[in-house]
């Protein structure tokens, strides 16, 4: 393992700045390059973080033999091309979520990555899902058999006027354009949901059937400041997974309702309920019955120590460790 790695950043937006900051914070990375299409913007970000090389042509980064790894921080429609070209240039690759615009693109990226087994590749869907204490604690509970056979997972999170590209990231209107972003909350937040829920199941389940899907747009009358706003605002799906597991999955960036980020896992012997994100309550509710299932129902509150955890830093630290 090298003591220090040299990185190039493809993109100069808000998320790129987060990556630069956390790479520098590790003490194990040098950010040598930043690439973006707007010359003034990329120079500003370079000056802000002391990055000496900036460019509007990311191929300059890929041609630099000193660069060990790149972080792809561009809108999703560029991910596949940059990912493939970075691998072929001999770089390790961390790519922002969502990984791709379609299953076809994702399949291509996976297939190409297998041609370069010595290079490490990762996407950012682990950021709020797998690299945190609540995930590890729930995985321990499930792996212990305390829940018995899991037969149903229910996850929902419905927000109002929490649209990427308007409230959260006002300068990134591309979030609202399906041809650039791929989709709305299903793409933007759904990757975290799936990473978490498939992860606690050990990534051993497969999708067998989609029973129903809801995709709804046109709910928000507030002017988004752009002519294009064609991503879904509210979606829900009922999925049948292998092992006789049903999964109800719902998320909305804007709908005429509010529900907290909540996951409920139902097992034959017990169940758990929580908000899986790091900013949700640091507790897991555990439900079971005493006397091996023959007695009274009971509930336990499991406190999870989240002190010192930082999702963005944990992601970068994990990638460097890998």
């Amino acid at each position: 393992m090298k003591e220090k790695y040299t990185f190039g950043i493809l993109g100069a937006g808000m998320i790129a700045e987060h990556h630069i900051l956390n790479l520098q914070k590790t003490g194990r990375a040098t950010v040598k390059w930043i690439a973006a299409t707007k010359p003034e913007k990329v120079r500003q970000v370079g000056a802000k973080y002391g990055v000496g090389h900036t460019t509007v042509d990311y191929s300059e980064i890929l041609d630099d033999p000193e660069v060990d790894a790149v972080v792809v921080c561009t809108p999703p429609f560029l991910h596949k091309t940059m990912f493939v070209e970075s691998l072929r240039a001999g770089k390790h690759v961390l790519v922002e979520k969502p990984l791709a615009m379609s299953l076809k693109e994702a399949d291509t990226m996976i297939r190409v990555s297998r041609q370069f087994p010595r290079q490490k590749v990762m996407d950012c869907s682990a950021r709020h899902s797998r690299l945190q204490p609540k995930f590890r604690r729930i995985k321990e509970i499930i792996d212990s058999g305390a829940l018995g056979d899991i037969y149903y997972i229910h996850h929902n999170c419905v927000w109002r006027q929490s649209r990427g590209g308007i409230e959260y990231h006002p300068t990134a209107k591309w979030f609202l354009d399906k041809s650039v972003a791929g989709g709305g909350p299903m793409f933007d937040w759904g990757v975290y949901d799936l990473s978490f829920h498939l992860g606690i199941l050990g990534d051993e389940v497969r999708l067998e059937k989609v029973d129903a899907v809801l995709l709804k747009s046109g709910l928000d009358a507030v002017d988004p400041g752009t002519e294009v706003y064609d991503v879904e605002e509210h979606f829900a799906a009922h999925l049948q997974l292998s092992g006789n597991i049903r999964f109800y999955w719902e998320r909305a960036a804007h709908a005429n309702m509010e529900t907290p980020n909540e996951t409920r896992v139902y097992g034959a012997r017990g169940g758990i309920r929580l908000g899986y994100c790091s900013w949700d309550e640091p507790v897991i509710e555990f439900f079971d019955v005493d006397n091996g299932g023959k007695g009274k129902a009971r509930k336990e509150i499991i406190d999870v120590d989240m002190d010192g955890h930082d999702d963005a830093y944990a992601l970068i630290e994990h990638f460097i460790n890998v």
Side-chain angles (χ1 to χ4, degrees):
M1 184 192 309
K2 293 178 66 173
E3 291 186 4
K4 204 161 190 176
Y5 296 88
T6 300
F7 276 78
I9 308 296
L10 310 189
M14 179 186 69
I15 197 66
E17 291 196 47
H18 285 310
H19 284 302
I20 295 167
L21 182 64
N22 285 293
L23 282 165
Q24 292 176 338
K25 194 186 298 183
T26 66
R28 296 172 58 196
T30 298
V31 179
K32 182 178 179 180
W33 284 94
I34 307 173
T37 56
K38 297 178 180 179
E40 184 178 350
K41 174 65 174 177
V42 73
R43 283 195 296 268
Q44 287 176 348
V45 175
K48 182 177 180 179
Y49 295 98
V51 177
H53 295 75
T54 60
T55 180
V56 295
D57 181 2
Y58 70 90
S59 66
E60 289 191 62
I61 299 177
L62 303 187
D63 290 340
D64 186 342
E66 291 186 357
V67 173
D68 300 298
V70 298
V71 185
V72 179
C73 313
T74 59
F77 79 105
L78 295 170
H79 286 183
K80 187 198 79 167
T81 298
M82 289 181 166
F83 179 88
V84 170
E85 290 182 0
S86 297
L87 282 176
R88 289 176 175 161
K91 314 304 183 187
H92 306 293
V93 187
L94 174 63
V95 60
E96 261 300 334
K97 58 83 192 171
L99 175 69
M101 296 281 283
S102 66
L103 180 61
K104 182 178 179 181
E105 282 194 356
D107 285 342
T108 297
M109 295 164 78
I110 293 168
R111 184 176 66 253
V112 172
S113 71
R114 288 174 177 157
Q115 299 171 16
F116 302 93
R118 296 181 63 84
Q119 289 159 236
K120 305 304 180 183
V121 298
M122 194 173 88
D123 89 311
C124 292
S125 60
R127 179 189 284 113
H128 298 309
S129 55
R130 302 189 182 201
L131 300 175
Q132 50 125 324
K134 280 190 272 189
F135 176 85
R136 293 190 289 272
R137 188 70 183 91
I138 288 178
K139 191 76 168 60
E140 290 171 0
I141 294 170
I142 291 174
D143 291 348
S144 75
L147 302 189
D149 291 334
I150 293 172
Y151 62 89
Y152 184 51
I153 295 177
H154 184 288
H155 173 76
N156 63 346
C157 181
V158 178
W159 293 330
R160 303 185 73 194
Q161 294 182 338
S162 182
R163 304 154 297 179
I166 302 180
E167 285 83 18
Y168 179 64
H169 193 0
T171 61
K173 302 297 186 189
W174 59 262
F175 271 103
L176 309 178
D177 185 341
K178 189 174 182 179
S179 69
V180 176
M186 181 172 61
F187 270 55
D188 183 34
W189 261 99
V191 292
Y192 297 132
D193 298 337
L194 290 178
S195 179
F196 184 85
H197 295 100
L198 297 179
I200 62 174
L201 296 175
D203 291 321
E204 295 178 350
V205 297
R206 65 183 184 277
L207 176 65
E208 293 188 341
K209 183 181 179 183
V210 179
D211 289 330
V213 173
L214 163 73
L215 288 171
K216 185 67 175 175
S217 58
L219 295 169
D220 197 343
V222 175
D223 184 359
T226 177
E227 293 182 1
V228 180
Y229 187 3
D230 60 357
V231 297
E232 85 284 349
E233 296 169 70
H234 185 189
F235 91 93
H238 196 266
L239 312 177
Q240 184 174 331
L241 307 178
S242 57
N244 294 316
I245 300 173
R246 300 292 179 125
F247 180 25
Y248 175 75
W249 176 29
E250 179 184 19
R251 185 169 279 277
H254 176 79
N256 295 310
M257 185 59 61
E258 292 179 351
T259 63
N261 182 60
E262 183 177 276
T263 289
R264 302 196 292 273
V265 181
Y266 295 79
R269 294 177 54 197
I272 52 179
R273 179 170 62 190
L274 82 156
Y276 76 78
C277 292
S278 58
W279 54 85
D280 292 321
E281 289 296 316
V283 297
I284 299 168
E285 295 177 291
F286 175 64
F287 303 84
D288 70 349
V289 292
D290 60 15
N291 297 327
K294 298 179 181 179
K296 293 183 178 181
R298 62 185 179 183
K299 173 182 171 181
E300 177 185 357
I301 302 297
I302 301 172
D303 292 313
V304 182
D305 184 4
M306 300 293 293
D307 288 347
H309 176 75
D310 181 311
D311 290 331
Y313 183 80
L315 176 75
I316 289 297
E317 184 179 51
H318 178 68
F319 184 60
I320 291 179
N321 287 340
V322 169

